[in-house]
Amino acid sequence: EQLEAAPGMRVLDLCAAPGGKTTQIGAAMKGEGLLVANEVDAKRAMALIENVERLGITNCLVLNENPGKLAKRFAGFFDRILVDAPCSGEGMFRKDPETRAHWSPAQVKSSARIQAELLDTAYAMLKEGGILVYSTCTYSPEENEQNVASLLRRHPDLELLPLPRDGGVVSGVPAWGGGDGRLSHAARLWPHRVKGEGHFAAKLRKTGAAPPWRGRPA
């Protein structure tokens, strides 16, 4: 919903498997425009393909590609980009014992680094006026507020947009991201406040110019 995908748009789900969000975006687009769903893990990409086919999303192109290579082909191309990033998974501890067993401080740092790279890649592929939604299923400030604050410093033409506070959703915590007050526009979902697990989300708009896309439609 916050991605504001609509018929006729060019939309990218950068970390798409297993496809729940891709199919929801596809429903909003009503078969019009182009939906690109990318998954870097080949095995998970097969599950993504299965779900896209099962729900009959005819305007979706499924890719199994390195995001950096995508950025070279799709610079300034997309109206909307979703980065539901791989993370340390702290929000899943309650329901997934395996996630708890594999967690470590090193994993948090590694995840934050990968997420920063994904966000820079998404920025490069976003057109002027386009919207980027970043989300995780972790509590870690390193992966959430700190990553968004760093992204805003690297790309000053990004504007952080406020997310709704319905149903127990609360603001991001500026103090956890260096004190940038704009981080209060982000959203945190805590499992003791909402029905579900732990999540973080931020919505950004690119206000600066993007390079013209130099590809050719097939």
Side-chain angles (χ1 to χ4, degrees), residues 101-160:
H102 286 92
W103 183 92
S104 70
Q107 185 190 20
V108 171
K109 291 182 180 180
S110 175
S111 295
R113 177 183 54 79
I114 292 170
Q115 292 151 3
E117 293 173 356
L118 289 171
L119 286 169
D120 281 338
T121 299
Y123 170 86
M125 290 188 281
L126 196 63
K127 68 188 299 184
E128 182 177 356
I131 288 176
L132 163 66
V133 171
Y134 172 64
S135 62
T136 73
C137 58
T138 190
Y139 307 122
S140 161
E142 294 93 331
E143 300 174 69
N144 296 328
E145 285 91 349
Q146 290 179 24
N147 248 339
V148 173
S150 180
L151 178 69
L152 291 170
R153 289 192 298 269
R154 293 195 301 274
H155 304 292
D157 61 336
L158 283 175
E159 173 189 10
L160 191 58

Side-chain angles (χ1 to χ4, degrees), residues 70-112:
L70 286 183
K72 295 178 180 179
R73 296 287 185 181
F74 290 105
F77 181 80
F78 291 102
D79 300 287
R80 302 286 187 268
I81 299 178
L82 173 63
V83 180
D84 183 44
C87 67
S88 60
E90 294 165 352
M92 299 293 110
F93 282 1
R94 182 169 63 174
K95 74 173 189 178
D96 187 357
E98 186 175 345
T99 302
R100 295 199 301 269
H102 286 92
W103 183 92
S104 70
Q107 185 190 20
V108 171
K109 291 182 180 180
S110 175
S111 295

